């Protein structure tokens, strides 16, 4: 037993030392007086916004090579909290702010559709909003009821509080009906996708930007989940992506947000999401 | 500096280090209770602890599904892990050829302890869950049930956890068996008992409390495991009615929802933390009690 404890103790001490050393090195660099942008930005929040932020950051840092921007996940709730508390320079949220959260500055940087996804081999291609609602409410439990092959429907849901789940609940389920307790819960866009990709009778919902060849996105009421269809408002399931700051942004943070909302930034948004300008 | 002075300085230094652990545990405990108690106060202990519905967006914070979930997964892991672990420990301490142990088995066990839990989770999600799903789809009673035919659930969680707690159980139990005085063994053999009789009549009973301590430590490890569990038990906050049912553990509940929660929801997650904290304290006291009994 002592062997085990001893090695654990050393591991903990080591981790503590590394943390302290790493913490010392991370002081923010001051912004220079020159025209060239310099500084560090910390972005944290929604895992749905994260891939977009990473793309934007990569392009922005390529142009301004003295700027360092770190993108972290954590979830919309964490993003709002981090922005309000100032622990991150920019918080990211993939849902509208609640009333009690409106004490921060918000910028809509993109719109995002929510795609309903199933296994690649599922013969069902198209569902009505009503059917989707019934599936997620647990009223329809077999694919044969929807013209698919016989098999119990496995509903994959996100955790309570997720921005994607919040938006999905608001847009599909409405106020009266809640998602069945019998759903399997996965806690990120990627986890839902992996789970559905491995389950022939699974169904889940993910950010439009998260669609890939592993899974199949369903048409909703005959409309395909694409950027064009959201722009023309024919595909109805979409929500805003928000950047949040504690105060009026300045310096390098302002420069970054302005750039994201510029033609160039929105061009990158347009690759997978819907630009706002 | 005088020798005695230096001695004092070192003693003080060591004492402060030791205090640090106490200080940290008080700090963490105090923080969890401070954050979590308001929910207990507002809704009542009964509503929170025995409540069967966890729907934070509707102000329902019942913890009972998660408490049960943790208990079932942990017990399942013990059922599978303890026999395997204890038998391995006996083999290693008593029967195994030294070369085989030092070259093959011990490194394997140490490696098992060193694998990050997220890797266990990934392994479970991509291999064990599909196997269980395929089997449950063959059983008509389960195939039609959307909750029981997913493969995610108690069984999958218990299998993975039982592997994860093996190193703890094996190491502690083996130490206990090795520390049984040689006289016992020699006495038994001298009386004409065979090696196997000696093992299960003399050595294992003599090492009983040490083995139990190993089991309890494994229990603590299983109860506290988070990442691997999240990936394979399905996380549905429901009261499980079958071993195939998807469940959510207390640790999973906190880890899954903390990032997105706000306000009262966060406090309710701290309430889960309080319950978990109390559970772990009870288990550690039990382990300490067993070890002390052995010593005294």
């Amino acid at each position: 037993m002592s062997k085990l404890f001893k090695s654990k103790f050393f591991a903990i001490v080591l981790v503590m030392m590394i943390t302290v050393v790493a913490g010392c090195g991370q002081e923010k660099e001051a912004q220079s007086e020159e025209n060239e942008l310099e500084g560090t930005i910390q972005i944290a929040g929604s895992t749905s916004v994260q891939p977009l932020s990473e793309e934007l950051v990569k392009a922005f840092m390529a142009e301004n090579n003295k700027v360092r921007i770190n993108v972290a996940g954590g979830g919309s709730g964490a993003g709002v909290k981090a922005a309000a508390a100032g622990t991150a320079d920019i918080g990211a949220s993939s849902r509208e702010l609640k009333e009690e959260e409106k004490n921060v500055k918000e910028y809509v940087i993109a719109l995002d559709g929510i795609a309903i996804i199933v296994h690649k081999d599922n013969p069902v291609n198209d569902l009505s909003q009503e059917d989707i609602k019934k599936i997620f409410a647990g009223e329809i439990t077999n694919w044969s009821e929807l013209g698919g092959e016989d098999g119990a429907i496995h509903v994959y849901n996100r955790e309570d509080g997720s921005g994607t789940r919040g938006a999905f609940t608001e847009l599909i389920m409405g106020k009266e009906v809640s998602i069945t307790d019998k759903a399997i819960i996965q806690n990120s866009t990627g986890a839902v996708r992996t789970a559905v990709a491995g389950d022939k009778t699974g169904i889940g919902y993910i950010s439009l930007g998260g669609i890939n060849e592993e899974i199949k996105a369903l048409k909703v009421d005959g409309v395909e989940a694409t950027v064009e269809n959201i722009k023309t408002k024919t595909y109805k399931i979409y929500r805003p992506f928000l950047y949040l700051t504690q105060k009026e942004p300045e310096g390098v943070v302002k420069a970054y947000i302005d750039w994201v909302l510029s033609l160039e930034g929105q061009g990158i948004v347009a690759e997978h999401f819907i630009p706002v300008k | 500096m005088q020798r005695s002075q230096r001695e004092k300085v070192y003693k003080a230094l060591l004492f402060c280090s030791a205090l640090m652990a106490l200080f940290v545990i008080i700090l963490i405990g105090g923080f969890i209770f401070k954050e979590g108690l308001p929910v207990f106060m507002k809704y009542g202990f009964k509503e929170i602890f025995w409540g069967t519905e966890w729907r934070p967006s509707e102000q329902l914070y019942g913890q009972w599904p998660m408490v049960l979930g943790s208990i079932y997964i942990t017990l399942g892991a013990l059922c599978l892990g303890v026999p395997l672990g204890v038998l391995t420990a006996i083999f290693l301490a008593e029967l195994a050829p030294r070369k085989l142990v030092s070259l093959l088995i011990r490194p394997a066990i140490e490696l098992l302890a060193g694998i990050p839990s997220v890797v266990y989770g990934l392994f479970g999600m991509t291999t064990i869950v599909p196997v269980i799903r395929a089997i449950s789809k063959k059983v008509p009673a389960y195939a039609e049930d959307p909750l029981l035919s997913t493969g995610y659930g108690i069984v999958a969680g218990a299998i993975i956890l039982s592997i994860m707690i093996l190193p703890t159980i094996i190491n502690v139990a083996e130490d206990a068996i090795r520390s049984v005085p040689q006289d016992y063994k020699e006495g038994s053999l001298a009386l004409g008992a065979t090696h196997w009789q000696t093992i299960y009549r003399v050595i294992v009973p003599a090492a009983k409390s040490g083995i139990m301590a190993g089991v309890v430590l494994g229990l603590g490890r299983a109860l506290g495991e988070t990442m691997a569990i999240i990936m394979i038990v399905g996380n549905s906050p429901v009261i499980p009615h079958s071993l195939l049912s998807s469940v959510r553990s207390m640790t999973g509940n906190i880890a899954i929802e903390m990032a997105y929660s706000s306000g009262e929801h966060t406090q309710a997650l701290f309430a889960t933390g309080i319950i978990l904290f109390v559970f772990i304290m009870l288990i550690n006291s039990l382990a300490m009690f067993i070890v002390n009994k052995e010593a005294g």
Side-chain angles (χ1 to χ4, degrees):
Chain A
M1 188 173 0
S2 61
K3 222 188 298 166
L4 200 72
F5 281 147
K6 227 186 272 171
S7 63
K8 265 192 191 162
F9 173 74
F10 279 120
I12 291 167
V13 170
L14 199 69
V15 169
M16 280 164 98
M17 277 162 66
I18 290 169
T19 321
V20 170
V21 171
C24 292
Q26 261 185 0
E27 284 183 28
K28 278 191 185 174
E29 292 153 37
Q31 201 195 334
S32 74
E33 301 291 315
E34 301 156 41
N35 277 341
E36 203 176 359
L37 280 168
E38 200 173 331
T40 313
I41 307 177
Q42 181 68 41
I43 303 177
S46 164
T47 53
S48 305
V49 183
Q50 199 176 353
L52 173 61
S53 289
E54 276 161 6
E55 286 293 311
L56 288 167
V57 161
K58 206 165 80 186
F60 187 75
M61 292 203 310
E63 282 173 32
N64 305 279
N65 48 23
K66 287 200 172 165
V67 179
R68 293 279 332 151
I69 307 180
N70 300 317
V71 183
S76 294
V80 177
K81 262 186 261 171
T87 48
D89 302 302
I90 299 176
S93 167
S94 57
R95 57 165 168 78
E96 304 270 11
L97 294 183
K98 296 173 193 158
E99 269 314 306
E100 74 262 23
E101 294 172 340
K102 296 239 172 182
N103 54 353
V104 289
K105 288 257 154 213
E106 55 179 296
Y107 301 86
V108 179
I109 61 160
L111 295 177
D112 176 35
I114 296 176
I116 314 298
I117 58 165
V118 295
H119 192 269
K120 264 193 308 195
D121 300 340
N122 194 320
V124 176
N125 288 315
D126 187 351
L127 289 176
S128 68
Q129 278 207 30
E130 200 50 39
D131 284 340
I132 296 170
K133 183 173 173 178
K134 280 183 181 156
I135 292 173
F136 279 87
E139 289 167 29
I140 298 179
T141 57
N142 198 304
W143 282 110
S144 60
E145 294 171 59
L146 300 162
E149 287 163 15
D150 180 54
I153 299 177
H154 300 151
V155 177
Y156 290 88
N157 192 8
R158 290 290 301 278
E159 70 285 7
D160 210 330
S162 136
T164 315
R165 171 163 167 172
F168 179 84
T169 309
E170 197 181 303
L171 296 165
I172 296 283
M173 307 307 287
K175 289 227 165 80
E176 275 85 52
V177 194
S178 50
I179 300 177
T180 171
D181 281 340
K182 295 189 170 179
I184 298 294
I185 310 246
Q186 294 290 353
N187 64 339
S188 72
T189 296
V192 171
R193 189 175 55 210
T194 310
V196 172
D199 187 345
K200 281 200 166 174
T201 60
I203 184 167
Y205 55 86
I206 60 170
S207 156
L208 192 65
I211 297 178
N212 66 8
E213 64 287 346
E214 291 171 27
I215 38 84
K216 181 168 82 175
L218 292 178
K219 290 180 190 170
V220 177
D221 291 320
V223 184
E224 223 172 309
T226 61
V227 172
E228 281 66 40
N229 289 337
I230 292 170
K231 269 190 198 157
T232 57
K233 315 241 158 156
T234 42
Y235 189 82
K236 298 271 178 359
I237 316 170
Y238 62 90
R239 39 103 185 241
F241 276 180
L242 305 174
Y243 267 178
L244 310 165
T245 57
Q246 189 182 27
K247 303 183 279 260
E248 194 65 47
E250 48 189 38
V252 66
V253 177
K254 176 170 168 30
Y256 173 68
I257 293 181
D258 285 348
W259 178 84
V260 167
L261 295 174
S262 75
L263 219 57
E264 207 184 340
Q266 291 295 304
I268 294 172
V269 169
E271 285 168 20
H272 293 286
F273 300 95
I274 301 98
V276 285
K277 296 218 167 129
Chain B
M1 216 190 291
Q2 292 280 315
R3 264 173 66 132
S4 62
Q5 268 178 325
R6 203 186 295 167
E7 199 79 352
K8 266 184 199 153
V9 170
Y10 283 132
K11 270 187 190 162
L13 193 71
L14 295 182
F15 181 63
C16 286
S17 309
L19 270 191
M20 196 61 198
L22 187 70
F23 177 68
V24 168
I25 195 74
I26 289 174
L27 207 65
I28 293 176
F31 180 70
I32 294 175
F33 275 87
K34 180 180 148 277
E35 293 286 318
L37 274 183
V39 172
F40 278 111
M41 300 299 206
K42 186 170 171 194
Y43 295 93
F45 177 80
K46 216 180 119 206
E47 270 313 285
I48 297 290
F49 186 75
W50 297 104
T52 56
E53 278 185 280
W54 172 263
R55 280 192 204 145
S57 44
E58 297 164 33
Q59 276 79 49
L60 291 169
Y61 301 117
Q63 307 277 351
W64 191 236
M66 276 73 77
V67 174
L68 271 188
S70 275
I71 292 176
Y72 283 152
I73 302 167
T74 307
L75 284 185
L78 288 183
C79 286
L80 297 171
V82 168
L84 200 59
V86 172
L87 293 180
T88 308
I90 294 173
F91 175 74
L92 289 182
E94 284 296 320
L95 299 169
R98 198 151 283 193
K99 243 191 177 157
L100 177 74
V101 172
S102 60
L103 282 182
L104 219 59
I105 299 182
R106 193 157 331 269
I109 293 169
E110 252 141 49
L111 206 59
L112 220 50
I115 296 174
S117 68
V118 65
V119 176
Y120 278 104
L122 200 61
F123 171 71
M125 193 175 175
T126 51
T127 57
I128 300 207
V129 168
V131 168
I132 295 174
R133 182 188 298 143
I135 295 172
S136 61
K137 278 193 172 160
K138 296 247 154 54
V139 183
Y142 297 136
E144 282 303 306
D145 192 308
L147 189 63
L148 305 184
S149 58
T150 59
Y152 294 90
I154 298 173
V155 175
I159 292 175
I160 285 294
L161 265 191
S162 68
I163 303 172
M164 295 180 75
I165 62 173
L166 272 184
T168 311
I169 297 180
I170 294 174
N171 284 333
V172 179
E174 192 195 340
D175 278 353
I177 293 168
R178 281 195 193 280
S179 61
V180 172
Q182 197 66 19
D183 313 358
Y184 288 20
K185 190 176 170 186
E186 285 165 5
S188 167
L189 291 173
L191 286 171
T194 64
H195 193 180
W196 174 242
Q197 283 171 331
T198 306
I199 287 172
Y200 84 98
R201 287 266 167 82
V202 177
I203 295 178
V204 170
K208 201 172 61 187
S209 56
I211 295 175
M212 274 311 290
V215 171
V216 175
L217 284 174
L219 177 83
R221 169 116 169 75
L223 196 63
E225 178 49 45
T226 312
M227 193 60 214
I229 284 301
I230 290 177
M231 296 170 80
I232 47 187
V233 295
N235 307 316
S236 317
V238 292
I239 305 268
H241 292 292
S242 156
L243 282 180
L244 285 169
S245 175
S246 158
V247 288
R248 183 182 292 193
S249 72
M250 291 189 270
T251 49
N253 194 38
I254 300 172
I256 290 167
E257 295 193 359
M258 191 50 94
Y260 285 97
S261 66
S262 58
E264 209 170 61
H265 185 182
T266 310
Q267 294 180 336
L269 293 174
F270 274 103
T272 313
I274 293 180
I275 298 172
L276 191 62
F277 195 74
V278 172
F279 264 70
I280 297 276
M281 274 205 304
L282 287 177
I283 288 169
N284 278 7
S285 324
L286 184 67
M288 221 142 52
F289 173 74
I290 292 170
V291 171
N292 284 347
K293 208 173 70 177
E294 178 189 30

